[in-house]
Amino acid sequence: MFSVAIRMLVIAWLLVVVPCAVAQSPATPRTPTNLFGNAGFEDGREMWRMDRAGKTAAEFTVDDQDAGSGRRSARISIGTVAEWGVQFGQSFEAGPPGQTYTFAVLAKSTQGPVTVRLEVERRAQPWDRAGASPPLTVTSEGW
């Protein structure tokens, strides 16, 4: 009974709030620009790189076995981890200062839950972070 009441309350709230939010939103939302090249790996490994520390054992491949969107996805297989482990990404010029940027990925694990962090790092010394996520758990349940 309680869960039904909560659901009904949420539905009623959505019926009131969503139309009001839509009425107040701009008429034509702007599509965000993706700063990453080859973001969907449709061109294979082009523009992407993987770095590993010391004796870290890792492999970076692109295949068409499973994809969050498009036809391809990257597969990062990590065995032994040493020092800072694995860094995977791209290097490109920063966007204009004073702007807000959203960093998002589609990810899933192939062997149980895995804890990862998403970080935006300066590509030269002092190697500091422009932004970082808290630790995230990635599962095999889907993208």
Side-chain angles (χ1 to χ4, degrees), residues 86-109:
V86 173
Q87 293 181 340
F88 175 74
Q90 293 185 13
S91 293
F92 51 82
E93 294 301 318
Q99 301 292 315
T100 299
Y101 297 93
T102 300
F103 180 54
V105 298
L106 297 175
K108 74 181 209 178
S109 168

PDB file of all heavy atoms in Angstrom, residues 86-109:
ATOM      1  N   VAL A  86      46.617   1.902 -15.161  1.00  0.00           N
ATOM      2  CA  VAL A  86      46.334   2.153 -16.578  1.00  0.00           C
ATOM      3  C   VAL A  86      45.680   3.516 -16.744  1.00  0.00           C
ATOM      4  O   VAL A  86      44.818   3.905 -15.959  1.00  0.00           O
ATOM      5  CB  VAL A  86      45.383   1.067 -17.135  1.00  0.00           C
ATOM      6  CG1 VAL A  86      44.934   1.387 -18.548  1.00  0.00           C
ATOM      7  CG2 VAL A  86      46.032  -0.301 -17.083  1.00  0.00           C
ATOM      8  N   GLN A  87      46.100   4.226 -17.770  1.00  0.00           N
ATOM      9  CA  GLN A  87      45.431   5.452 -18.203  1.00  0.00           C
ATOM     10  C   GLN A  87      45.009   5.250 -19.643  1.00  0.00           C
ATOM     11  O   GLN A  87      45.807   4.806 -20.470  1.00  0.00           O
ATOM     12  CB  GLN A  87      46.355   6.660 -18.105  1.00  0.00           C
ATOM     13  CG  GLN A  87      46.713   7.021 -16.705  1.00  0.00           C
ATOM     14  CD  GLN A  87      47.611   8.246 -16.656  1.00  0.00           C
ATOM     15  OE1 GLN A  87      48.251   8.601 -17.634  1.00  0.00           O
ATOM     16  NE2 GLN A  87      47.649   8.893 -15.507  1.00  0.00           N
ATOM     17  N   PHE A  88      43.764   5.579 -19.922  1.00  0.00           N
ATOM     18  CA  PHE A  88      43.213   5.394 -21.248  1.00  0.00           C
ATOM     19  C   PHE A  88      42.537   6.686 -21.664  1.00  0.00           C
ATOM     20  O   PHE A  88      41.785   7.272 -20.887  1.00  0.00           O
ATOM     21  CB  PHE A  88      42.192   4.250 -21.214  1.00  0.00           C
ATOM     22  CG  PHE A  88      41.470   4.040 -22.503  1.00  0.00           C
ATOM     23  CD1 PHE A  88      42.104   3.466 -23.572  1.00  0.00           C
ATOM     24  CD2 PHE A  88      40.153   4.430 -22.644  1.00  0.00           C
ATOM     25  CE1 PHE A  88      41.451   3.269 -24.775  1.00  0.00           C
ATOM     26  CE2 PHE A  88      39.484   4.242 -23.835  1.00  0.00           C
ATOM     27  CZ  PHE A  88      40.133   3.660 -24.901  1.00  0.00           C
ATOM     28  N   GLY A  89      42.815   7.172 -22.854  1.00  0.00           N
ATOM     29  CA  GLY A  89      42.148   8.393 -23.272  1.00  0.00           C
ATOM     30  C   GLY A  89      42.741   9.029 -24.503  1.00  0.00           C
ATOM     31  O   GLY A  89      43.360   8.362 -25.337  1.00  0.00           O
ATOM     32  N   GLN A  90      42.550  10.334 -24.602  1.00  0.00           N
ATOM     33  CA  GLN A  90      43.009  11.149 -25.724  1.00  0.00           C
ATOM     34  C   GLN A  90      43.642  12.426 -25.186  1.00  0.00           C
ATOM     35  O   GLN A  90      43.353  12.841 -24.070  1.00  0.00           O
ATOM     36  CB  GLN A  90      41.835  11.567 -26.627  1.00  0.00           C
ATOM     37  CG  GLN A  90      41.191  10.465 -27.360  1.00  0.00           C
ATOM     38  CD  GLN A  90      40.120  10.975 -28.315  1.00  0.00           C
ATOM     39  OE1 GLN A  90      40.009  12.156 -28.608  1.00  0.00           O
ATOM     40  NE2 GLN A  90      39.318  10.058 -28.812  1.00  0.00           N
ATOM     41  N   SER A  91      44.437  13.048 -26.029  1.00  0.00           N
ATOM     42  CA  SER A  91      44.991  14.364 -25.718  1.00  0.00           C
ATOM     43  C   SER A  91      44.418  15.359 -26.720  1.00  0.00           C
ATOM     44  O   SER A  91      44.397  15.084 -27.914  1.00  0.00           O
ATOM     45  CB  SER A  91      46.514  14.360 -25.850  1.00  0.00           C
ATOM     46  OG  SER A  91      47.081  13.553 -24.858  1.00  0.00           O
ATOM     47  N   PHE A  92      43.935  16.478 -26.211  1.00  0.00           N
ATOM     48  CA  PHE A  92      43.444  17.543 -27.087  1.00  0.00           C
ATOM     49  C   PHE A  92      43.499  18.853 -26.329  1.00  0.00           C
ATOM     50  O   PHE A  92      43.659  18.872 -25.115  1.00  0.00           O
ATOM     51  CB  PHE A  92      42.030  17.264 -27.616  1.00  0.00           C
ATOM     52  CG  PHE A  92      41.018  16.899 -26.563  1.00  0.00           C
ATOM     53  CD1 PHE A  92      40.379  17.866 -25.817  1.00  0.00           C
ATOM     54  CD2 PHE A  92      40.696  15.574 -26.339  1.00  0.00           C
ATOM     55  CE1 PHE A  92      39.454  17.538 -24.857  1.00  0.00           C
ATOM     56  CE2 PHE A  92      39.763  15.232 -25.389  1.00  0.00           C
ATOM     57  CZ  PHE A  92      39.137  16.216 -24.643  1.00  0.00           C
ATOM     58  N   GLU A  93      43.391  19.941 -27.064  1.00  0.00           N
ATOM     59  CA  GLU A  93      43.425  21.270 -26.451  1.00  0.00           C
ATOM     60  C   GLU A  93      42.203  21.453 -25.553  1.00  0.00           C
ATOM     61  O   GLU A  93      41.109  21.000 -25.883  1.00  0.00           O
ATOM     62  CB  GLU A  93      43.443  22.352 -27.527  1.00  0.00           C
ATOM     63  CG  GLU A  93      44.700  22.346 -28.369  1.00  0.00           C
ATOM     64  CD  GLU A  93      45.958  22.545 -27.555  1.00  0.00           C
ATOM     65  OE1 GLU A  93      45.962  23.402 -26.644  1.00  0.00           O
ATOM     66  OE2 GLU A  93      46.943  21.838 -27.819  1.00  0.00           O
ATOM     67  N   ALA A  94      42.409  22.128 -24.456  1.00  0.00           N
ATOM     68  CA  ALA A  94      41.306  22.419 -23.539  1.00  0.00           C
ATOM     69  C   ALA A  94      40.310  23.360 -24.203  1.00  0.00           C
ATOM     70  O   ALA A  94      40.670  24.142 -25.082  1.00  0.00           O
ATOM     71  CB  ALA A  94      41.849  23.058 -22.261  1.00  0.00           C
ATOM     72  N   GLY A  95      39.080  23.282 -23.769  1.00  0.00           N
ATOM     73  CA  GLY A  95      38.066  24.207 -24.251  1.00  0.00           C
ATOM     74  C   GLY A  95      38.255  25.573 -23.611  1.00  0.00           C
ATOM     75  O   GLY A  95      39.132  25.763 -22.760  1.00  0.00           O
ATOM     76  N   PRO A  96      37.445  26.543 -24.008  1.00  0.00           N
ATOM     77  CA  PRO A  96      37.567  27.893 -23.433  1.00  0.00           C
ATOM     78  C   PRO A  96      37.382  27.877 -21.918  1.00  0.00           C
ATOM     79  O   PRO A  96      36.534  27.150 -21.404  1.00  0.00           O
ATOM     80  CB  PRO A  96      36.428  28.671 -24.101  1.00  0.00           C
ATOM     81  CG  PRO A  96      36.038  27.873 -25.294  1.00  0.00           C
ATOM     82  CD  PRO A  96      36.376  26.449 -24.991  1.00  0.00           C
ATOM     83  N   PRO A  97      38.184  28.676 -21.182  1.00  0.00           N
ATOM     84  CA  PRO A  97      38.033  28.731 -19.729  1.00  0.00           C
ATOM     85  C   PRO A  97      36.693  29.349 -19.341  1.00  0.00           C
ATOM     86  O   PRO A  97      36.088  30.084 -20.112  1.00  0.00           O
ATOM     87  CB  PRO A  97      39.205  29.608 -19.280  1.00  0.00           C
ATOM     88  CG  PRO A  97      39.633  30.359 -20.486  1.00  0.00           C
ATOM     89  CD  PRO A  97      39.235  29.547 -21.681  1.00  0.00           C
ATOM     90  N   GLY A  98      36.251  29.009 -18.137  1.00  0.00           N
ATOM     91  CA  GLY A  98      35.003  29.564 -17.624  1.00  0.00           C
ATOM     92  C   GLY A  98      33.767  28.817 -18.084  1.00  0.00           C
ATOM     93  O   GLY A  98      32.653  29.200 -17.743  1.00  0.00           O
ATOM     94  N   GLN A  99      33.942  27.758 -18.851  1.00  0.00           N
ATOM     95  CA  GLN A  99      32.822  26.961 -19.336  1.00  0.00           C
ATOM     96  C   GLN A  99      32.653  25.724 -18.453  1.00  0.00           C
ATOM     97  O   GLN A  99      33.596  25.269 -17.818  1.00  0.00           O
ATOM     98  CB  GLN A  99      33.065  26.498 -20.778  1.00  0.00           C
ATOM     99  CG  GLN A  99      33.256  27.621 -21.767  1.00  0.00           C
ATOM    100  CD  GLN A  99      31.979  28.404 -21.977  1.00  0.00           C
ATOM    101  OE1 GLN A  99      30.913  27.834 -22.127  1.00  0.00           O
ATOM    102  NE2 GLN A  99      32.085  29.711 -21.961  1.00  0.00           N
ATOM    103  N   THR A 100      31.464  25.153 -18.442  1.00  0.00           N
ATOM    104  CA  THR A 100      31.203  23.898 -17.750  1.00  0.00           C
ATOM    105  C   THR A 100      31.192  22.786 -18.782  1.00  0.00           C
ATOM    106  O   THR A 100      30.566  22.918 -19.834  1.00  0.00           O
ATOM    107  CB  THR A 100      29.847  23.944 -17.022  1.00  0.00           C
ATOM    108  OG1 THR A 100      29.894  25.007 -16.060  1.00  0.00           O
ATOM    109  CG2 THR A 100      29.544  22.633 -16.326  1.00  0.00           C
ATOM    110  N   TYR A 101      31.897  21.713 -18.481  1.00  0.00           N
ATOM    111  CA  TYR A 101      31.984  20.577 -19.399  1.00  0.00           C
ATOM    112  C   TYR A 101      31.467  19.330 -18.707  1.00  0.00           C
ATOM    113  O   TYR A 101      31.678  19.135 -17.511  1.00  0.00           O
ATOM    114  CB  TYR A 101      33.441  20.355 -19.837  1.00  0.00           C
ATOM    115  CG  TYR A 101      33.981  21.535 -20.604  1.00  0.00           C
ATOM    116  CD1 TYR A 101      34.674  22.549 -19.956  1.00  0.00           C
ATOM    117  CD2 TYR A 101      33.774  21.660 -21.968  1.00  0.00           C
ATOM    118  CE1 TYR A 101      35.152  23.642 -20.642  1.00  0.00           C
ATOM    119  CE2 TYR A 101      34.246  22.750 -22.674  1.00  0.00           C
ATOM    120  CZ  TYR A 101      34.929  23.736 -22.000  1.00  0.00           C
ATOM    121  OH  TYR A 101      35.398  24.817 -22.689  1.00  0.00           O
ATOM    122  N   THR A 102      30.793  18.481 -19.461  1.00  0.00           N
ATOM    123  CA  THR A 102      30.308  17.203 -18.955  1.00  0.00           C
ATOM    124  C   THR A 102      31.173  16.103 -19.540  1.00  0.00           C
ATOM    125  O   THR A 102      31.379  16.058 -20.755  1.00  0.00           O
ATOM    126  CB  THR A 102      28.833  16.973 -19.362  1.00  0.00           C
ATOM    127  OG1 THR A 102      28.052  18.027 -18.806  1.00  0.00           O
ATOM    128  CG2 THR A 102      28.328  15.635 -18.867  1.00  0.00           C
ATOM    129  N   PHE A 103      31.664  15.234 -18.697  1.00  0.00           N
ATOM    130  CA  PHE A 103      32.498  14.109 -19.110  1.00  0.00           C
ATOM    131  C   PHE A 103      31.709  12.847 -18.800  1.00  0.00           C
ATOM    132  O   PHE A 103      31.374  12.579 -17.647  1.00  0.00           O
ATOM    133  CB  PHE A 103      33.816  14.146 -18.343  1.00  0.00           C
ATOM    134  CG  PHE A 103      34.760  13.032 -18.675  1.00  0.00           C
ATOM    135  CD1 PHE A 103      35.134  12.772 -19.976  1.00  0.00           C
ATOM    136  CD2 PHE A 103      35.292  12.257 -17.665  1.00  0.00           C
ATOM    137  CE1 PHE A 103      36.028  11.758 -20.273  1.00  0.00           C
ATOM    138  CE2 PHE A 103      36.192  11.245 -17.938  1.00  0.00           C
ATOM    139  CZ  PHE A 103      36.544  10.988 -19.253  1.00  0.00           C
ATOM    140  N   ALA A 104      31.364  12.092 -19.819  1.00  0.00           N
ATOM    141  CA  ALA A 104      30.540  10.895 -19.622  1.00  0.00           C
ATOM    142  C   ALA A 104      31.039   9.768 -20.514  1.00  0.00           C
ATOM    143  O   ALA A 104      31.590  10.016 -21.586  1.00  0.00           O
ATOM    144  CB  ALA A 104      29.084  11.217 -19.960  1.00  0.00           C
ATOM    145  N   VAL A 105      30.842   8.548 -20.054  1.00  0.00           N
ATOM    146  CA  VAL A 105      31.222   7.368 -20.827  1.00  0.00           C
ATOM    147  C   VAL A 105      30.130   6.314 -20.714  1.00  0.00           C
ATOM    148  O   VAL A 105      29.351   6.313 -19.770  1.00  0.00           O
ATOM    149  CB  VAL A 105      32.554   6.748 -20.346  1.00  0.00           C
ATOM    150  CG1 VAL A 105      33.708   7.702 -20.490  1.00  0.00           C
ATOM    151  CG2 VAL A 105      32.445   6.254 -18.924  1.00  0.00           C
ATOM    152  N   LEU A 106      30.093   5.426 -21.688  1.00  0.00           N
ATOM    153  CA  LEU A 106      29.309   4.202 -21.588  1.00  0.00           C
ATOM    154  C   LEU A 106      30.318   3.105 -21.300  1.00  0.00           C
ATOM    155  O   LEU A 106      31.274   2.930 -22.057  1.00  0.00           O
ATOM    156  CB  LEU A 106      28.582   3.907 -22.904  1.00  0.00           C
ATOM    157  CG  LEU A 106      27.553   4.937 -23.350  1.00  0.00           C
ATOM    158  CD1 LEU A 106      27.003   4.570 -24.728  1.00  0.00           C
ATOM    159  CD2 LEU A 106      26.428   5.022 -22.344  1.00  0.00           C
ATOM    160  N   ALA A 107      30.142   2.365 -20.222  1.00  0.00           N
ATOM    161  CA  ALA A 107      31.115   1.345 -19.843  1.00  0.00           C
ATOM    162  C   ALA A 107      30.412   0.153 -19.226  1.00  0.00           C
ATOM    163  O   ALA A 107      29.339   0.289 -18.642  1.00  0.00           O
ATOM    164  CB  ALA A 107      32.119   1.928 -18.847  1.00  0.00           C
ATOM    165  N   LYS A 108      31.029  -0.999 -19.373  1.00  0.00           N
ATOM    166  CA  LYS A 108      30.560  -2.181 -18.672  1.00  0.00           C
ATOM    167  C   LYS A 108      31.723  -3.135 -18.470  1.00  0.00           C
ATOM    168  O   LYS A 108      32.724  -3.066 -19.185  1.00  0.00           O
ATOM    169  CB  LYS A 108      29.395  -2.849 -19.392  1.00  0.00           C
ATOM    170  CG  LYS A 108      29.724  -3.606 -20.632  1.00  0.00           C
ATOM    171  CD  LYS A 108      28.442  -4.174 -21.210  1.00  0.00           C
ATOM    172  CE  LYS A 108      28.671  -5.435 -21.969  1.00  0.00           C
ATOM    173  NZ  LYS A 108      27.428  -5.982 -22.477  1.00  0.00           N
ATOM    174  N   SER A 109      31.569  -4.005 -17.503  1.00  0.00           N
ATOM    175  CA  SER A 109      32.604  -4.976 -17.175  1.00  0.00           C
ATOM    176  C   SER A 109      32.282  -6.296 -17.872  1.00  0.00           C
ATOM    177  O   SER A 109      31.118  -6.606 -18.128  1.00  0.00           O
ATOM    178  CB  SER A 109      32.629  -5.191 -15.657  1.00  0.00           C
ATOM    179  OG  SER A 109      33.417  -6.297 -15.324  1.00  0.00           O
TER     180      SER A 109
END
